[in-house]
């Protein structure tokens, strides 16, 4: 059992929940039950990936983040009437850990909550008192927040250009920092993550579609935390198709049968949400557009993701992006013949997982 009052610090990390009837939301400050020198590590997705943290280590960190939350509405961010919301916004904008003094309605027990898009979160409690100290807000974030006419997409592009990554950008979007002042709203975290991925990839695609077509076929293979990726680039105009395969025993497939899902994006783009592969579609899309923009080429892209029993706990859609980035950082195999490239692609998947994807492709 955790205490109901504690002095601590936050990575800084804010979670906006989506389980209430919209436009009501829960806004939570995430922090361990006591102050930690390395509190930044509790919400450091890129660091985890670069240092190959395993699921146990990540779960240990996340299980110890208490979600001290309060209820509000998405438009409350426009009125500045809620002291808790103003403090939460200040925390979310900070570029370094923030000291916090928290008092909850009652003591809470250890538990952990999973979601298909967001990271797991530890126990939650109702906030009745909050004090904070030593926030540090960068000039660039303050500039975006102070600009009452800048649209949300423009703010994302601007900050990304100066090195702010998708994790920080999605948090800023969720706490109502972005957008024209009269239209700002709180955005549930699971939505803000996908919106940020889509927005960043769209900007890259606007350039990619004018690049020369890739010369030859390129094959990549890689994995992270039980998520295996097989990616094949074809010399053609941009389009992208994702096949996801969930093997029995993986977190999202408790059955004894193989589950599959697929979504496709043509050159002209999608007009509907990718409802079969959902957040994974957009996380993968951001990874492949980063690669194509880097090499300044466009291509047709086929991606097969295979999730096996190594992925025993859902850690959120950031794992997909991390896995794709790791895969595309590996050395590619280059083919000059489509038939050879496809045969090799299918053979690699069969040899690794005994899956025949020939009928699918």
């Amino acid at each position: 059992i955790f205490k109901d009052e504690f002095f601590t610090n936050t990575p800084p990390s804010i979670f906006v929940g989506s389980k209430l009837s919209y436009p009501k939301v829960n806004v939570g400050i995430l922090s361990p039950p006591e102050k930690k020198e390395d509190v930044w590590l509790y919400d450091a997705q890129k660091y985890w990936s670069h240092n190959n943290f395993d699921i146990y280590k990540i779960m240990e960190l996340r299980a110890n983040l208490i979600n001290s939350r309060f209820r509000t509405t998405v438009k409350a961010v426009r009125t500045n009437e809620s002291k808790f919301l103003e403090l939460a916004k200040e925390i979310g904008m900070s570029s370094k850990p923030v000291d916090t003094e928290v008092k909850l309605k009652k003591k809470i027990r250890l538990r952990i909550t999973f979601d298909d898009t967001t990271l797991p979160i530890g126990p939650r409690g109702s906030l009745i008192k909050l004090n904070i100290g030593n926030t540090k807000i960068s000039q660039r974030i303050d500039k975006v927040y102070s600009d009452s006419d800048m649209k949300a997409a423009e703010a994302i592009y601007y900050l990304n250009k100066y090195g702010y990554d998708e994790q920080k950008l999605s948090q800023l979007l969720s706490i109502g920092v972005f957008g024209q002042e009269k239209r700002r709203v709180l955005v549930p975290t699971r939505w803000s993550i996908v919106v940020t991925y889509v927005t960043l990839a769209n900007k890259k695609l606007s350039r990619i579609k004018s690049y020369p077509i890739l010369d030859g076929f390129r094959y990549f293979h890689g994995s992270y935390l039980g998520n295996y990726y097989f990616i094949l680039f074809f010399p053609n105009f941009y389009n992208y198709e994702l096949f996801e395969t969930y093997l029995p025993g993986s977190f999202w497939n408790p059955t004894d049968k193989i589950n599959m899902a697929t979504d496709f994006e043509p050159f002209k783009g999608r007009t509907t949400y990718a409802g079969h592969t959902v957040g994974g579609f957009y996380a993968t899309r951001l990874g492949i557009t980063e690669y194509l923009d880097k090499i300044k080429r466009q291509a047709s892209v086929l991606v097969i993701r295979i999730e096996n029993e190594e992925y025993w706990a859902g850690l959120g859609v950031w794992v997909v992006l991390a896995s794709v980035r790791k895969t595309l950082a590996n050395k590619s195999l280059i083919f000059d013949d489509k038939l050879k490239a496809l045969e090799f692609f299918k053979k690699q998947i069969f040899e690794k997982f005994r899956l025949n994807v020939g009928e699918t492709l």
Side-chain angles (χ1 to χ4, degrees):
I1 297 177
F2 291 100
K3 293 185 295 184
D4 60 353
E5 189 168 10
F6 44 96
F7 294 90
T8 180
N9 52 357
T10 172
S13 187
I14 302 294
F15 180 80
V16 181
S18 59
K19 299 294 171 68
L20 298 177
S21 296
Y22 194 86
K24 294 177 182 176
V25 289
N26 279 314
V27 178
I29 292 92
L30 307 185
S31 59
E34 57 189 19
K35 191 169 182 178
K36 300 284 186 179
E37 287 297 317
D38 62 350
V39 72
W40 62 272
L41 192 58
Y42 286 65
D43 200 16
Q45 300 165 16
K46 282 189 174 179
Y47 186 88
W48 300 339
S49 171
H50 291 161
N51 291 277
N52 291 311
F53 276 36
D54 61 21
I55 293 178
Y56 289 101
K57 180 62 177 174
I58 296 169
M59 288 283 287
E60 180 186 0
L61 291 167
R62 299 302 296 182
N64 281 288
L65 278 183
I66 297 172
N67 180 6
S68 305
R69 64 186 189 171
F70 60 93
R71 186 171 295 189
T72 186
T73 63
V74 296
K75 291 184 180 179
V77 75
R78 303 175 190 172
T79 62
N80 298 330
E81 292 174 358
S82 167
K83 180 189 174 186
F84 283 168
L85 185 54
E86 286 304 296
L87 293 175
K89 192 161 53 177
E90 195 174 333
I91 290 169
M93 292 169 70
S94 182
S95 57
K96 69 172 189 176
V98 178
D99 290 339
T100 58
E101 178 189 358
V102 171
K103 183 170 177 57
L104 302 177
K105 194 172 183 180
K106 60 182 179 180
K107 294 179 181 180
I108 51 177
R109 294 183 178 276
L110 180 63
R111 59 170 291 178
I112 192 161
T113 306
F114 295 97
D115 181 83
D116 60 353
T117 303
T118 61
L119 277 158
I121 299 174
R124 56 182 182 247
S126 297
L127 187 65
I128 60 173
K129 178 183 175 183
L130 175 66
N131 291 314
I132 67 172
N134 74 326
T135 55
K136 183 179 180 182
I137 299 172
S138 73
Q139 286 185 331
R140 298 201 189 281
I141 289 176
D142 189 55
K143 170 184 167 68
V144 164
Y145 180 59
S146 302
D147 191 331
S148 59
D149 295 320
M150 184 182 287
K151 293 181 179 179
E154 293 170 359
I156 289 173
Y157 300 150
Y158 171 79
L159 289 176
N160 185 239
K161 183 174 70 173
Y162 288 104
Y164 291 87
D165 66 15
E166 68 286 342
Q167 182 182 353
K168 187 65 176 180
L169 295 173
S170 67
Q171 175 158 287
L172 292 169
L173 177 64
S174 74
I175 59 173
V177 170
F178 294 158
Q180 294 169 314
E181 193 169 26
K182 293 181 180 179
R183 301 180 65 185
R184 287 176 182 168
V185 291
L186 296 172
V187 181
T189 299
R190 66 192 319 273
W191 301 354
S192 73
I193 291 170
V194 175
V195 170
T196 302
Y197 288 178
V198 170
T199 304
L200 290 173
N202 284 350
K203 184 70 169 178
K204 298 177 195 311
L205 273 175
S206 67
R207 297 188 291 263
I208 289 167
K209 289 177 181 180
S210 65
Y211 290 153
I213 289 174
L214 185 71
D215 181 19
F217 300 80
R218 295 190 189 184
Y219 165 80
F220 292 87
H221 169 56
S223 67
Y224 181 49
L225 300 178
N227 290 266
Y228 291 80
Y229 278 82
F230 302 84
I231 304 178
L232 187 59
F233 292 86
F234 298 79
N236 208 332
F237 292 107
Y238 172 82
N239 62 72
Y240 151 55
E241 188 161 17
L242 171 66
F243 290 88
E244 291 194 332
T245 303
Y246 314 98
L247 299 183
S250 61
F251 184 75
W252 298 112
N253 182 13
T255 74
D256 59 359
K257 296 180 180 178
I258 296 172
N259 290 340
M260 293 191 69
T262 183
D263 280 298
F264 174 73
E265 179 180 38
F267 182 84
K268 291 182 179 180
R270 290 183 61 95
T271 56
T272 57
Y273 182 70
H276 299 105
T277 54
V278 292
F281 183 85
Y282 298 103
T284 303
R285 179 177 180 259
L286 177 55
I288 62 175
T289 54
E290 287 175 346
Y291 174 75
L292 289 172
D293 195 32
K294 181 181 177 182
I295 65 170
K296 293 185 166 42
R297 292 290 184 272
Q298 67 172 304
S300 174
V301 191
L302 172 63
V303 182
I304 291 188
R305 172 195 183 191
I306 298 176
E307 189 181 286
N308 71 0
E309 70 282 354
E310 296 169 46
Y311 193 60
W312 55 266
L315 297 179
V317 77
W318 74 272
V319 173
V320 171
L321 181 55
S323 303
V324 172
R325 284 172 171 165
K326 279 179 173 287
T327 298
L328 294 175
N330 292 334
K331 189 174 181 180
S332 66
L333 292 176
I334 299 175
F335 298 86
D336 56 10
D337 178 83
K338 181 178 180 180
L339 189 60
K340 287 180 181 177
L342 275 172
E343 285 304 313
F344 184 85
F345 185 76
K346 290 185 283 188
K347 182 182 177 185
Q348 289 287 296
I349 296 170
F350 184 79
E351 288 183 350
K352 177 71 178 173
F353 293 104
R354 287 295 182 262
L355 285 175
N356 186 358
V357 297
E359 298 173 2
T360 308
L361 305 181

